[in-house]
Amino acid sequence: MAEISRSELDEIYDFAVQLGQDAGQMLLDAAKLRMGDGAASKEQKEHIEKENAVDLVTETDEDVEAYIKSQITSRYPSHKFIGEESYSKGSSRDYLIDDEPTWCIDPLDGTVNYIHLFPMFCVSIGFIHKSKAIIGVINAPFLNQSFSACSGRGAWLNGTQKLPLIRNPIPPMPENAPKGCVFSCEWGKDRRDVPDGNMHRKIESFVNMAAEIGGRHGRGGMVHGVRSLGSATLDLAYVAMGAFDIWWEGGCWEWDVAAGIAILQEAGGLVTTANPPTNHTNAPIEDVRLGSRLYLAIRPAGPSSTETGRKSQERTVREVWRRVRNLDYSRPGA
Amino acid sequence: MAEISRSELDEIYDFAVQLGQDAGQMLLDAAKLRMGDGAASKEQKEHIEKENAVDLVTETDEDVEAYIKSQITSRYPSHKFIGEESYSKGSSRDYLIDDEPTWCIDPLDGTVNYIHLFPMFCVSIGFIHKSKAIIGVINAPFLNQSFSACSGRGAWLNGTQKLPLIRNPIPPMPENAPKGCVFSCEWGKDRRDVPDGNMHRKIESFVNMAAEIGGRHGRGGMVHGVRSLGSATLDLAYVAMGAFDIWWEGGCWEWDVAAGIAILQEAGGLVTTANPPTNHTNAPIEDVRLGSRLYLAIRPAGPSSTETGRKSQERTVREVWRRVRNLDYSRPGA
């Protein structure tokens, strides 16, 4: 297995940040063509009129992934590449990440937002080595926000503001978490109206987290706010920022979360599984498995007078597990 | 009743845009003091350590409102002023807007977001004349986004991009709306776990909008996405932008929505009541009443080959009404 030196890693990080910027610009340029004041050429305008927004976005998605892939392949020909677009077209959804240096890319996360030009979309670039996401770059061009992290180098907003944003000191998780927490969650694509389907399991969990203390047969969590952005990648970025305290989600693939997990872990956050283990009050809290499709993320937390930051995160994990249902997402063949 | 000339109105508009920028900067400066890299003085740091985030935010909220009020009062001493902070402290929540020139201000919308430093917060400045919101300015400083509109002058993002963003041509509402629509909604503060309370009425409505077509006893709307930002003002701004197709909410006060409604209406959007009238398939679709606390907003829409834009908006209103419950928000004494 190839080792990577500190200086090589720093170089890869710089390359990834620049790649994120260039790819983000491509997304923004393509979005502007669809806007009224876009400087589209006559050919572009005819092209836009002929296709619908969804087709145009699919095209951009593929173009951006091809660009990223070509940049990586020419700079690092020995590295593996896993991209959403190329992966989706393959016949298998096996878990492909191993110990080799691997790039894990989503050219466009928040596709629905991008189609509707809601600013919460981004390009997501993760670099994985020895099965761990160690570099993450998330570029959200319509928000002018770039999140990045490299193992040992800290996590950053726009390269200048260290994450989490509030850090003198970094606050512990609230004493009565999830009360006082901003809870981030997504409705997702599985909308089947079957009593025990994922949509109803999610809703039941969301309502438990939101309801007043004492409500829901003692499961009411009275979170401070419930947020849904439509981008798993940006959810993770805002957990790393400390703006969201808790993110709970099932169904994402590794390219949706690789960069975000790298950034969140480097910022001091905790990522584990969404599904409560049988003995959820005592079970060990295991590090997330990148290909698990089930994620629970807790923001960076500092110590209080009675607890370490990690303890307060783990306490929060158990309080979430107490309120959520198991979600039914597996891998083909898993 | 005082008449306002075109040139006076343009002058008021310029003043409001500048006021939004200055107030937004105050919000951002105060937020930066709480961040790790804020250039806080020794006195400020001691002050920040002594107070909790909520108290600090309340203080900022009051400071910004006082600033806005003083600017308005010295420039336009004859105009009335309604601000969230001053209003909340009064004994009554009567509807105070009449035909006089009136400023309707929320110094900080998205308070929970601001406490947690999630970027979706803003200052909201509405100017009302003859009971209609005719100028709106929404400044979201952490997003670098300023939305503004003045009756007859169009609606704008950052003063340069006309709203809605997609306008060559402006698309009609989807043929099978709410399918294909981004649906924006908020969980709000009323989290009582009582079977017929607002929380459960909202959830039931959200699930109807989200579920697959054919689900929910025929009420499934299969919206393209469900979004919750935690700011009524920014929800309206994104409907004006065309990024959200539908926003449905109860409980807001006039300062939460005055600016947003001015911007959305100037962009070509429709705002009516959240609560379905008894005969919701035929009832006339009335313009929103600013003090009603019940709002349903539809994005600007252009004509299709079979329908005017307005018709497609009205069709969407009825499809939403068919899927949502009545919400229970009234005014004291109303």
Side-chain angles (χ1 to χ4, degrees):
Chain A
M1 183 168 59
E3 287 299 324
I4 298 177
S5 72
R6 183 71 250 175
S7 69
E8 277 174 304
L9 196 62
D10 287 346
E11 199 190 275
I12 294 171
Y13 183 34
D14 289 344
F15 168 78
V17 169
Q18 186 60 49
L19 193 55
Q21 215 145 53
D22 297 342
Q25 191 60 50
M26 284 177 76
L27 290 178
L28 195 59
D29 289 345
K32 278 186 178 158
L33 287 179
R34 289 193 287 135
M35 293 181 196
D37 52 354
S41 68
K42 189 161 163 285
E43 288 73 28
Q44 284 170 325
K45 275 187 181 145
E46 279 168 10
H47 176 69
I48 289 166
E49 275 161 31
K50 268 204 303 232
E51 301 209 42
N52 68 38
V54 176
D55 292 337
L56 284 168
V57 166
T58 306
E59 221 176 276
T60 304
D61 210 343
E62 290 171 356
D63 288 351
V64 175
E65 178 159 322
Y67 170 77
I68 294 173
K69 188 172 184 175
S70 75
Q71 292 298 105
I72 290 172
T73 314
S74 75
R75 176 78 174 256
Y76 299 107
S78 69
H79 291 181
K80 283 175 55 183
F81 179 90
I82 298 175
E84 192 211 357
E85 289 303 308
S86 33
Y87 196 63
S88 302
K89 285 180 180 157
S91 55
S92 145
R93 290 233 178 187
D94 284 348
Y95 185 57
L96 296 177
I97 291 169
D98 56 24
D99 280 354
E100 295 304 310
T102 302
W103 293 81
C104 193
I105 305 296
D106 190 350
L108 171 56
D109 191 78
T111 310
V112 170
N113 293 337
Y114 188 67
I115 291 169
H116 295 258
L117 296 180
F118 177 55
M120 289 284 168
F121 59 83
C122 61
V123 53
S124 173
I125 299 175
F127 178 72
I128 296 165
H129 189 222
K130 300 183 181 173
S131 293
K132 285 212 63 155
I134 56 174
I135 288 175
V137 172
I138 296 172
N139 192 290
F142 201 1
L143 295 165
N144 291 304
Q145 292 187 327
S146 165
F147 303 85
S148 65
C150 176
S151 185
R153 290 282 184 257
W156 301 87
L157 170 61
N158 295 334
T160 53
Q161 289 183 279
K162 201 164 193 200
L163 302 180
L165 287 180
I166 302 179
R167 46 186 304 107
N168 280 330
I170 299 174
M173 296 302 293
E175 230 176 294
N176 305 310
K179 188 163 179 246
C181 292
V182 174
F183 174 56
S184 160
C185 56
E186 304 291 348
W187 289 66
K189 289 175 199 159
D190 182 351
R191 309 282 184 72
R192 286 170 303 154
D193 184 29
V194 292
D196 202 37
N198 279 318
M199 184 178 73
H200 286 287
R201 292 184 193 199
K202 277 188 166 185
I203 298 306
E204 190 184 324
S205 307
F206 299 172
V207 176
N208 285 345
M209 293 291 282
E212 62 185 332
I213 300 291
R216 306 286 288 176
H217 307 287
R219 292 193 173 183
M222 194 61 196
V223 295
H224 208 185
V226 180
R227 302 287 176 268
S228 300
L229 303 183
S231 162
T233 304
L234 286 169
D235 287 333
L236 278 164
Y238 289 120
V239 178
M241 200 196 236
F244 292 164
D245 300 277
I246 300 165
W247 176 64
W248 177 77
E249 174 64 318
C252 307
W253 297 94
E254 33 279 40
W255 48 85
D256 297 317
V257 297
I261 288 176
I263 294 169
L264 177 56
Q265 288 181 332
E266 181 65 18
L270 182 159
V271 196
T272 186
T273 181
N275 280 2
T278 318
N279 182 6
H280 64 76
T281 53
N282 292 308
I285 290 172
E286 288 179 7
D287 255 9
V288 66
R289 288 185 310 116
L290 203 50
S292 68
R293 305 192 67 203
L294 296 162
Y295 312 96
L296 170 58
I298 310 289
R299 72 157 164 83
S304 69
S305 56
T306 57
E307 245 180 349
T308 63
R310 172 82 193 187
K311 273 275 173 233
S312 76
Q313 291 171 325
E314 293 195 351
R315 170 170 53 75
T316 307
V317 165
R318 295 189 198 283
E319 291 295 333
V320 175
W321 279 345
R322 194 161 83 73
R323 291 170 170 86
V324 295
R325 295 279 309 270
N326 276 267
L327 295 175
D328 180 22
Y329 293 101
S330 60
R331 305 189 76 84
Chain B
M1 184 166 58
E3 288 298 324
I4 299 177
S5 72
R6 183 72 251 174
S7 69
E8 277 174 305
L9 197 61
D10 287 345
E11 198 190 276
I12 295 171
Y13 182 35
D14 289 346
F15 168 78
V17 169
Q18 185 61 47
L19 193 56
Q21 214 144 55
D22 297 343
Q25 191 60 47
M26 286 179 75
L27 290 178
L28 195 59
D29 289 345
K32 280 186 178 158
L33 287 178
R34 288 191 288 134
M35 294 181 196
D37 52 354
S41 69
K42 188 163 165 283
E43 288 73 29
Q44 284 170 324
K45 276 189 180 142
E46 279 168 10
H47 176 69
I48 288 167
E49 276 162 31
K50 268 203 302 230
E51 301 210 42
N52 67 39
V54 176
D55 292 338
L56 285 168
V57 167
T58 306
E59 220 176 277
T60 304
D61 210 343
E62 290 172 355
D63 289 351
V64 174
E65 178 159 323
Y67 171 77
I68 294 173
K69 187 172 185 175
S70 75
Q71 292 298 106
I72 290 172
T73 315
S74 77
R75 177 79 175 255
Y76 298 107
S78 69
H79 291 181
K80 283 175 56 183
F81 179 90
I82 298 174
E84 192 210 358
E85 288 302 307
S86 34
Y87 196 63
S88 302
K89 285 181 180 155
S91 55
S92 146
R93 291 231 178 188
D94 284 347
Y95 186 58
L96 296 177
I97 291 169
D98 55 24
D99 281 354
E100 294 305 310
T102 302
W103 294 81
C104 193
I105 305 296
D106 190 351
L108 171 56
D109 191 79
T111 310
V112 170
N113 294 337
Y114 188 68
I115 291 169
H116 295 258
L117 296 180
F118 176 55
M120 288 284 168
F121 59 83
C122 61
V123 52
S124 173
I125 299 175
F127 178 71
I128 296 165
H129 189 222
K130 299 183 183 174
S131 292
K132 284 211 66 153
I134 55 174
I135 287 175
V137 172
I138 296 171
N139 191 290
F142 201 178
L143 295 166
N144 291 303
Q145 291 186 327
S146 166
F147 303 84
S148 65
C150 177
S151 185
R153 289 284 184 254
W156 301 85
L157 170 62
N158 295 334
T160 53
Q161 289 182 277
K162 202 163 191 200
L163 302 180
L165 288 181
I166 302 179
R167 48 185 303 106
N168 280 332
I170 300 175
M173 296 303 292
E175 230 177 295
N176 305 309
K179 188 162 181 248
C181 292
V182 174
F183 173 57
S184 161
C185 56
E186 304 290 349
W187 290 66
K189 290 176 196 157
D190 182 350
R191 309 283 184 72
R192 287 170 303 155
D193 183 28
V194 291
D196 202 37
N198 279 317
M199 185 178 71
H200 287 286
R201 293 185 193 199
K202 277 189 168 187
I203 298 306
E204 191 185 325
S205 306
F206 299 174
V207 176
N208 286 344
M209 292 292 281
E212 62 185 331
I213 300 290
R216 306 288 288 177
H217 307 288
R219 291 194 174 183
M222 193 61 196
V223 294
H224 208 185
V226 180
R227 302 287 177 267
S228 300
L229 303 183
S231 162
T233 305
L234 286 170
D235 286 333
L236 278 165
Y238 289 121
V239 178
M241 201 196 235
F244 293 163
D245 300 277
I246 301 165
W247 177 64
W248 177 78
E249 174 64 319
C252 306
W253 297 94
E254 32 280 40
W255 47 84
D256 297 317
V257 297
I261 287 176
I263 294 169
L264 177 55
Q265 288 181 331
E266 182 64 18
L270 183 160
V271 197
T272 186
T273 181
N275 280 2
T278 319
N279 182 7
H280 63 75
T281 53
N282 292 309
I285 290 172
E286 287 179 7
D287 256 10
V288 66
R289 287 185 310 116
L290 203 50
S292 69
R293 305 192 67 202
L294 296 162
Y295 311 96
L296 169 58
I298 310 290
R299 70 155 164 86
S304 68
S305 57
T306 58
E307 243 180 353
T308 64
R310 172 79 193 188
K311 273 275 172 230
S312 76
Q313 292 172 323
E314 294 195 350
R315 170 170 52 76
T316 307
V317 165
R318 295 189 199 283
E319 291 294 332
V320 175
W321 279 345
R322 194 162 82 73
R323 290 168 170 89
V324 296
R325 295 279 309 270
N326 276 269
L327 296 175
D328 180 23
Y329 293 101
S330 59
R331 305 189 76 86

